[in-house]
Amino acid sequence: MGRITSFADLIGIIKDKASQSRAALVSSNPKSKSLSFHLSVLRATTHDPSTPPGDRHLAVLLSAGSGSRATAASAVEAIMDRLHTTGDACVALKSLIIVHHIVKHGRFILQDQLSVFPASGGRNYLKLSSFRDEKSPLMWELSSWVRWYALYLEHLLSTSRIMGFFISSTSSTIHKDEYEEMVSSLTNTDLLREVDALVDLLEEACKIPDIPSSGGKTLADKITRLVGEDYVSSINELYTRLNEFKERSNTLSFGDSIELVCALKRLESCKERLSEISNANWKRAWIDGFWSLVREVKGMIGRLEDNYGQIEKSIVGIGRREKGYESARFTDRLIIGYGDAVRFSSGRFSNVDRFNYPVSGRTFC
C-alpha cells in the first residue's frame, strides 16, 4: 500500500477494506465461485496509484480460463462490472490492465468471453471515452490515461478481430512454414486490410499520454511495457505481410500500390514515437531490420515516392478501406486449414487457428 498523502487516499483505503471484507464474507460460500472472482478483482484494483495489479491476483483471474465457459464468463463479468461502475482513475486503469492481460496471457475460453461480453460491440466498446475523475490533480491526469488506454484496447480488440486471432497472445503455436503459407494464400485485399489495421493500432499506441507529473508512474510504466510488447508483436505480423508484398510487388494493381504506400507512410511516421515506447533493446537489430524492410518495400513499389503528393490527390474519392470500430467478435476473418482448428461453441468463431504471440514476438515450433 502506498503512502497516504491526502484525505482522498484515506477514503480510497477505507473503500478497499470495506468492499474486500464484504466480498470475502460472501465468497466464503463454496458455491459462490463468481463472488470469489469478484474478490480477486477487488484486491487487484485498489485505489492505490503506486501499485499495479499483483501477479497473484492476476493468476487467479487467468485461471478462470481453465474452467468451464460459465466460469470464464463469471470472471469477465466481475472485471467489467468493476470497470464500468468505478469513478476512480486508478481502479479503472487497473481494470484495463487486467483486460490487457487476458488478451495477452488468457486461455482461449477466457479471451472468447472477453470478446463477446457486450451485447453489441463497436465504437466505445469499453465505454470510457468520457471518463473524468476530478478528485485531485493526479486523478485528473490519470483520467487521460484511462480514456486513451480504453481506446487503445478497443483498437487492439478490433485489430484482432480483423486478423482472426488475438494480437500478442501467448496461447498457442504454429509452425513457421505453415504460417507463411497461410499468409501467402491471402488476397491482396485481405493483406492490405490487415496491414491497415496493424498500422492503425500502432498509430493509437503513439498517442500514449506523458507520464503523470504528480504520481502514478508505476501504473503508467506497467501500461507502457504492455503496449511496447504489443508493438513488437505487431511489427512481427507486419514483417511477414510486407515480405509477402515484396514478392508480389510486380503484380500489384495501381490502386493496391497506392494504398500500400499510404500505409507505409503512416507507419514510418510512427517510428520515432514507437522507439520511445519500446524497450526491446535485445531485439534492436531485428527491429532495425524491419524498418529497413519497410523502406525496401516502399522503394520497390514507390517510384510513387517522388510524386507522393500527387498520388494522395488521386485517391481522394477512393478513400481508405472501411474499418471503423468494429465489434470485437471475430467473424469476418477466419483462418482455416493450418494446425488444430478450434470450434467456438459460441458460434462467433468458427475453425479459427490459434497462434503464439509471446512477449518476444511470435514463437515458431
Side-chain angles (χ1 to χ4, degrees):
M1 180 65 67
R3 183 167 56 92
I4 299 175
T5 59
S6 67
F7 181 69
D9 290 340
L10 178 60
I11 294 299
I13 293 172
I14 293 172
K15 285 182 177 180
D16 290 336
K17 293 292 185 183
S19 57
Q20 290 177 32
S21 296
R22 288 196 300 270
L25 181 63
V26 176
S27 63
S28 60
N29 183 339
K31 297 182 179 180
S32 303
K33 186 66 175 177
S34 61
L35 292 171
S36 176
F37 288 129
H38 180 61
L39 177 59
S40 294
V41 170
L42 290 175
R43 288 172 173 170
T45 58
T46 63
H47 291 70
D48 180 10
S50 65
T51 56
D55 292 340
R56 180 164 60 91
H57 304 311
L58 287 171
V60 171
L61 294 169
L62 291 177
S63 71
S66 302
S68 65
R69 187 167 296 276
T71 299
S74 295
V76 170
E77 184 177 3
I79 296 163
M80 290 301 191
D81 181 66
R82 181 66 160 163
L83 177 62
H84 290 152
T85 59
T86 187
D88 186 271
C90 292
V91 172
L93 280 177
K94 293 179 184 183
S95 299
L96 291 170
I97 288 173
I98 295 174
V99 171
H100 206 161
H101 269 272
I102 290 176
V103 172
K104 292 176 67 64
H105 305 298
R107 293 197 176 188
F108 170 71
I109 191 172
L110 191 60
Q111 294 173 331
D112 182 38
Q113 289 303 305
L114 175 65
S115 70
V116 301
F117 175 78
S120 60
R123 189 180 180 87
N124 199 21
Y125 165 75
L126 295 173
K127 300 180 175 63
L128 294 174
S129 60
S130 61
F131 186 92
R132 299 287 189 281
D133 183 350
E134 302 177 5
K135 291 193 296 293
S136 69
L138 173 59
M139 295 299 104
W140 180 254
E141 279 194 277
L142 291 181
S143 293
S144 66
W145 276 79
V146 172
R147 294 190 297 273
W148 167 80
Y149 196 22
L151 183 57
Y152 173 79
L153 291 177
E154 288 169 9
H155 273 78
L156 181 61
L157 290 168
S158 178
T159 300
S160 296
R161 176 182 184 268
I162 290 170
M163 302 294 290
F165 52 85
F166 287 90
I167 302 297
S168 198
S169 174
T170 60
S171 59
S172 60
T173 62
I174 186 172
H175 289 283
K176 180 179 179 180
D177 55 348
E178 292 179 345
Y179 174 66
E180 291 177 346
E181 183 179 351
M182 181 276 295
V183 172
S184 69
S185 70
L186 296 175
T187 65
N188 289 343
T189 298
D190 282 338
L191 276 175
L192 285 167
R193 187 178 184 220
E194 292 183 350
V195 167
D196 193 56
L198 289 163
V199 173
D200 281 345
L201 179 62
L202 293 178
E203 284 182 322
E204 190 59 41
C206 290
K207 299 175 185 177
I208 188 170
D210 294 331
I211 298 295
S213 59
S214 52
K217 184 177 184 301
T218 305
L219 280 179
D221 284 345
K222 175 68 172 180
I223 294 168
T224 302
R225 284 196 299 273
L226 290 171
V227 173
E229 292 165 4
D230 290 345
Y231 160 54
V232 173
S233 294
S234 296
I235 65 172
N236 204 3
E237 296 302 330
L238 283 166
Y239 193 96
T240 303
R241 284 153 182 79
L242 294 184
N243 266 322
E244 181 60 28
F245 272 124
K246 180 179 173 182
E247 296 296 322
R248 303 184 188 186
S249 60
N250 293 328
T251 61
L252 289 178
S253 69
F254 180 68
D256 288 344
S257 297
I258 290 174
E259 187 163 355
L260 183 56
V261 168
C262 289
L264 295 179
K265 283 280 188 177
R266 291 165 51 216
L267 181 60
E268 285 187 317
S269 70
C270 299
K271 180 179 178 180
E272 183 175 350
R273 181 57 171 156
L274 290 171
S275 66
E276 296 172 358
I277 297 172
S278 174
N279 291 320
N281 292 322
W282 51 277
K283 292 183 73 74
R284 183 57 51 197
W286 178 79
I287 292 175
D288 290 343
F290 166 75
W291 290 110
S292 295
L293 176 63
V294 171
R295 292 191 298 272
E296 181 183 359
V297 173
K298 191 176 68 174
M300 291 180 72
I301 60 173
R303 289 179 298 269
L304 308 169
E305 175 99 68
D306 294 337
N307 57 343
Y308 182 69
Q310 183 178 356
I311 291 170
E312 281 187 316
K313 293 178 183 178
S314 73
I315 62 174
V316 173
I318 297 176
R320 288 171 54 193
R321 297 182 186 272
E322 180 181 355
K323 59 182 189 302
Y325 292 85
E326 306 179 65
S327 167
R329 300 168 190 166
F330 301 3
T331 55
D332 283 359
R333 277 278 294 107
L334 302 180
I335 301 173
I336 303 174
Y338 297 96
D340 295 328
V342 180
R343 176 74 63 180
F344 293 73
S345 61
S346 66
R348 293 177 172 85
F349 299 59
S350 299
N351 295 330
V352 180
D353 285 327
R354 307 293 300 144
F355 306 110
N356 188 31
Y357 285 81
V359 168
S360 59
R362 180 182 300 283
T363 291
F364 296 110
C365 299

